[in-house]
Amino acid sequence: MVVVAFWAHGAYGNPSAYYNGFFRFLHVLFGIMWIGLLYYFNFVQIPTMPKVPAELKPGVSKFIAPEALFWFRYAALFTVITGLIVAWLSGYAHDALVLGEGFRLIGLGMWLALIMAFNVWFLIWPNQKRALGIVPAEDAVKAKSASTAMIFSRLNTLLSIPMLYCMVTQGALGGL
């Protein structure tokens, strides 16, 4: 990949356009990871856990979930960072973030993504740490934390639909 990056940078003679395309690629890659894990949690893991025999649940809660949550958090972070870089390189970051004329769809998508990333880092992850026993908590606190994490994860799943719509539709309308 590094060889391709350096070759393409020199071959096309427009470093700005190349970097924009490279960060768009990274933005899509991290976005797929983030939303894919979000959908995994909400459509696979959460509905399946009640069916998992008690002796097998620690395999999920001690090994799979913490690892998946690591990739989930950092995919969210890098999706936001690379998305902001793309918006900056393309010259529409300010217009989109203030929901300016012609950039309202992408701006709304960006704000939804920022809200979702906030939820990941400051609501879902702290509650999951307690629910999974990564940090000590009483059983009642663990249960409440699991419920809170699930509610915000479901909220993010719902927000992901208009977020994706806004971003894809703005791109289809042109100007980005």
Side-chain angles (χ1 to χ4, degrees):
M1 180 144 168
V2 172
V3 172
V4 170
F6 283 111
W7 175 81
H9 175 270
Y12 292 101
N14 185 349
S16 177
Y18 173 76
Y19 289 128
N20 190 313
F22 180 70
F23 281 105
R24 282 177 190 265
F25 163 76
L26 290 177
H27 180 61
V28 170
L29 177 67
F30 292 128
I32 290 168
M33 290 173 63
W34 180 17
I35 301 304
L37 284 164
L38 176 68
Y39 290 4
Y40 160 76
F41 286 126
N42 283 281
F43 296 117
V44 178
Q45 184 173 306
I46 291 171
T48 304
M49 283 303 287
K51 302 172 204 166
V52 174
E55 67 275 7
L56 298 178
K57 287 185 184 201
V60 175
S61 62
K62 299 291 181 205
F63 298 100
I64 295 171
E67 185 74 13
L69 285 164
F70 171 85
W71 289 103
F72 178 64
R73 291 190 320 276
Y74 284 95
L77 176 65
F78 288 117
T79 300
V80 168
I81 289 171
T82 55
L84 290 171
I85 290 170
V86 167
W88 177 70
L89 289 172
S90 300
Y92 65 82
H94 178 265
D95 290 330
L97 288 170
V98 298
L99 304 175
E101 186 68 35
F103 296 94
R104 289 194 182 120
L105 272 176
I106 194 70
L108 181 57
M110 290 169 70
W111 277 109
L112 289 170
L114 290 168
I115 291 165
M116 291 169 60
F118 177 90
N119 288 347
V120 167
W121 279 93
F122 299 105
L123 297 167
I124 297 169
W125 175 234
N127 280 289
Q128 282 290 20
K129 286 193 293 189
R130 287 188 292 275
L132 294 171
I134 295 170
V135 297
E138 296 176 9
D139 288 344
V141 172
K142 284 183 179 183
K144 174 72 173 145
S145 292
S147 177
T148 300
M150 184 183 72
I151 288 167
F152 281 98
S153 186
R154 294 271 166 90
L155 174 62
N156 272 11
T157 301
L158 290 174
L159 293 177
S160 73
I161 297 165
M163 182 267 305
L164 288 169
Y165 174 82
C166 289
M167 292 187 169
V168 169
T169 302
Q170 180 74 58
L173 294 174
L176 302 181

